[in-house]
Amino acid sequence: MTEVDLHVHTTASDGTMSPAEVVRYAKEKGLRAIAITDHDTIEGLHEGIGEGKKQGLEVIPGVELSVDFPKGTMHVLGYYIDPTCTGLLDELMVLQQARAERNLRMIEKLRGLGIEIELSELKETPEHGQIGRPHFAHTMVKKGYVQNIQDAFDRYLGKGGPAYVEKFRFSQEEAITIIHQAQGLAVLAHPFTLNRPDPADFGALIGELKEKGLDGMEVYNPEHSKGQKKFYRTLAQQHGLVATGGSDFHGLTKDAVDLGEGYGDTNYAYNVVEELKARREARLRGLS
Ligand code: AMP
Ligand code: FE
Ligand code: FE
Ligand code: ZN
């Protein structure tokens, strides 16, 4: 039976369940531990960890940082980060500030295209998380500028679209350093999104990330094929990376992957948590 899920979102970012709800749901599903890994924020950790104590479920403090990576998507998970680390809090504030400025620039761009949207309207949409493109898309549908959400992305908001503004992201080194300074472990999330199909090219990239301090790789993810899992597992072994797994749970939306599920042939056992703890001890003692 699956015992742990190391990739879980809450309403603090773009999940549909509050941190307390996610923890209770994990308990119902019989899990022993989850990691709360919201995008670019640790605001859900306090509530999640508190509920975990009540429910007798281990809640690992985490975060998922978006990293600048041309032609692909790179997300780095931080596990066992100290949520009171001021360096971490400052860096997350930088992201929030950059996001706020980006939203204003997107409002300006849309205005230039004849689409009038106020910041206050973006705050009234049912979308979860920090204000971003989904909030714009919803507002554009509501005001009749586009047919639906997809239309908004296709015609205006998608990467390269006329209203698109690049998001500020940390570099690979920055993300790993921020996580390490907060006493956490840096783990590459859903490696398939790096979009590097050539195995040699991909392997070289993992080698570089290991040099930069990467501690682990999310080998088990519902989007990975059997072949990919095998390939990532071998690479993790070669580079001495902890092979982690998570469902990237965002709530029980239509067709969504359920908490603690989607690893296929692999049932994720608790010993990965022990491996992470041992790795963290070693890192804090300067041994790794
Ligand atoms: P942002 O962080 O503001 O760049 O918004 C990113 C979010 O927008 C993603 O998590 C998706 O939910 C949504 N999104 C991005 N690209 C598309 C797309 N082409 N079609 C539909 N939704 C998208
Ligand atoms: Fe997400
Ligand atoms: Fe991600
Ligand atoms: Zn995620």
Side-chain angles (χ1 to χ4, degrees):
M1 204 197 68
T2 304
E3 296 179 300
V4 302
D5 190 329
L6 297 178
H7 194 154
V8 178
H9 293 271
T10 77
T11 46
S13 65
D14 56 349
T16 64
M17 289 187 192
S18 71
E21 280 167 344
V22 160
V23 169
R24 286 197 290 272
Y25 186 59
K27 186 71 185 173
E28 261 173 50
K29 301 230 29 156
L31 297 182
R32 271 180 79 181
I34 63 166
I36 292 183
T37 55
D38 279 307
H39 299 285
D40 302 332
T41 179
I42 57 170
E43 274 166 32
L45 295 184
H46 182 74
E47 178 184 319
I49 290 167
E51 187 65 21
K53 283 188 184 136
K54 268 198 230 163
Q55 301 289 335
L57 183 109
E58 199 172 328
V59 176
I60 298 164
V63 68
E64 182 173 23
L65 300 178
S66 299
V67 171
D68 189 35
F69 189 67
K71 296 193 211 96
T73 298
M74 186 184 287
H75 289 175
V76 176
L77 296 158
Y79 291 129
Y80 293 106
I81 43 157
D82 170 5
T84 65
C85 168
T86 51
L88 175 66
L89 293 168
D90 286 350
E91 296 296 348
L92 294 176
M93 192 72 87
V94 168
L95 287 182
Q96 275 167 30
Q97 189 63 37
R99 209 175 234 291
E101 283 163 20
R102 175 189 188 231
N103 288 337
L104 293 179
R105 286 181 59 202
M106 287 201 287
I107 286 175
E108 285 306 316
K109 278 197 158 189
L110 284 168
R111 187 162 290 147
L113 296 161
I115 295 178
E116 297 289 335
I117 287 177
E118 303 289 334
L119 187 60
S120 58
E121 293 175 296
L122 297 172
K123 291 177 180 155
E124 286 158 16
T125 68
E127 268 72 27
H128 294 286
Q130 296 168 309
I131 293 175
R133 287 183 291 160
H135 302 70
F136 277 89
H138 189 102
T139 308
M140 288 163 76
V141 176
K142 200 163 88 180
K143 297 184 80 173
Y145 288 116
V146 291
Q147 300 285 325
N148 50 46
I149 302 279
Q150 197 53 54
D151 193 25
F153 276 94
D154 291 347
R155 285 168 57 199
Y156 297 101
L157 303 170
K159 198 164 184 158
Y164 181 73
V165 176
E166 260 319 318
K167 198 156 77 170
F168 168 79
R169 291 184 177 85
F170 294 125
S171 69
Q172 297 167 25
E173 292 86 349
E174 283 167 339
I176 292 171
T177 304
I178 290 164
I179 290 166
H180 284 167
Q181 281 176 350
Q183 312 203 329
L185 295 174
V187 172
L188 180 66
H190 39 68
F192 75 98
T193 64
L194 295 186
N195 199 18
R196 293 287 178 95
D198 177 51
D201 183 30
F202 185 87
L205 189 62
I206 296 302
E208 286 167 27
L209 283 166
K210 170 72 186 181
E211 287 292 307
K212 291 171 184 163
L214 192 72
D215 300 287
M217 173 155 68
E218 191 174 70
V219 170
Y220 305 101
N221 173 287
E223 300 280 334
H224 292 165
S225 68
K226 219 171 170 173
Q228 280 173 320
K229 281 183 268 199
K230 192 166 168 222
F231 174 59
Y232 297 143
R233 190 167 55 228
T234 307
L235 262 184
Q237 263 159 9
Q238 277 171 4
H239 291 282
L241 296 168
V242 182
T244 67
S247 69
D248 209 349
F249 185 68
H250 281 79
L252 289 173
T253 49
K254 192 167 156 278
D255 300 329
V257 174
D258 207 347
L259 196 68
E261 287 178 22
Y263 310 131
D265 49 346
T266 313
N267 293 325
Y268 228 83
Y270 186 77
N271 61 12
V272 65
V273 172
E274 274 152 5
E275 230 182 295
L276 285 173
K277 284 178 183 166
R279 177 70 61 117
R280 181 165 183 261
E281 283 301 307
R283 186 167 273 295
L284 293 184
R285 278 192 262 118
L287 298 176
S288 111

